[in-house]
Amino acid sequence: MTEPSDGSVLDATPESERFEHIGIALHWITALLIIVMFATAWSREAVDHDTHLASALMTVHRTTGVVTWMVEWVRLVWRYYFACLPTFSECMPKLQQWIAKANEYGLYALLLVQPLSGLGNCPASRARFSIVHSSIAGSFPGNPTSRSVFVEAHE
């Protein structure tokens, strides 16, 4: 509820002040997936890369990246077709509104491109890699230049 300067109380509609439940759930699922990806990447750096644990951590990391990519597409479709978005405050300057929207769309772009840069590294290395319980062979000739581009983009 909001109180105008004259002391009366106005009931605000839920659609105008916050996102709907599905949008919020998709947001927190994305946040959890990102935490898992960082945890597995950092944990892998702390162990010997030639161990079974390092391989398992990479599998979880890659699988989580693919799931994140799919969740982001669901979020975009939900947002475009079904979401009830809260409005900006009337006192918020237009420039700040534009920056907020640009920041949001930039994060969507990052969350869609980042998993692709990681997956692009896998086939470029010509090595086998695992996603969930599937083992996939690299499909491109091993090219150190293209692999380094994907590695740099992903990091």
Side-chain angles (χ1 to χ4, degrees):
M1 293 197 177
T2 59
E3 287 190 43
S5 60
D6 66 356
S8 62
V9 177
L10 299 175
D11 284 332
T13 60
E15 293 80 22
S16 67
E17 290 192 3
R18 60 181 289 152
F19 289 91
E20 79 294 328
H21 295 295
I22 293 176
I24 293 170
L26 290 169
H27 167 84
W28 287 110
I29 289 168
T30 301
L32 179 63
L33 290 168
I34 290 169
I35 290 168
V36 170
M37 283 189 294
F38 273 107
T40 54
W42 290 337
S43 297
R44 184 176 182 271
E45 291 303 313
V47 300
D48 181 11
H49 287 208
D50 295 328
T51 64
H52 179 68
L53 177 59
S55 176
L57 287 169
M58 257 340 265
T59 299
V60 171
H61 181 80
R62 289 178 180 132
T63 302
T64 306
V66 169
V67 172
T68 302
W69 189 77
M70 291 186 296
V71 168
E72 288 314 301
W73 279 109
V74 170
R75 282 181 75 178
L76 284 173
V77 168
W78 176 260
R79 178 183 173 82
Y80 187 77
Y81 290 107
F82 307 108
C84 296
L85 304 176
T87 58
F88 288 113
S89 169
E90 291 177 14
C91 63
M92 183 183 230
K94 294 292 181 194
L95 177 62
Q96 190 175 359
Q97 292 178 23
W98 182 87
I99 291 170
K101 287 179 185 178
N103 181 49
E104 181 180 9
Y105 292 125
L107 287 171
Y108 277 120
L110 179 65
L111 289 169
L112 291 172
V113 171
Q114 191 69 9
L116 294 178
S117 68
L119 283 176
N121 176 31
C122 299
S125 70
R126 194 68 168 155
R128 296 188 72 76
F129 61 96
S130 297
I131 296 177
V132 188
H133 291 293
S134 302
S135 181
I136 302 166
S139 57
F140 299 113
N143 183 337
T145 305
S146 64
R147 184 172 189 275
S148 68
V149 168
F150 283 115
V151 168
E152 288 299 316
H154 193 66
E155 290 179 359

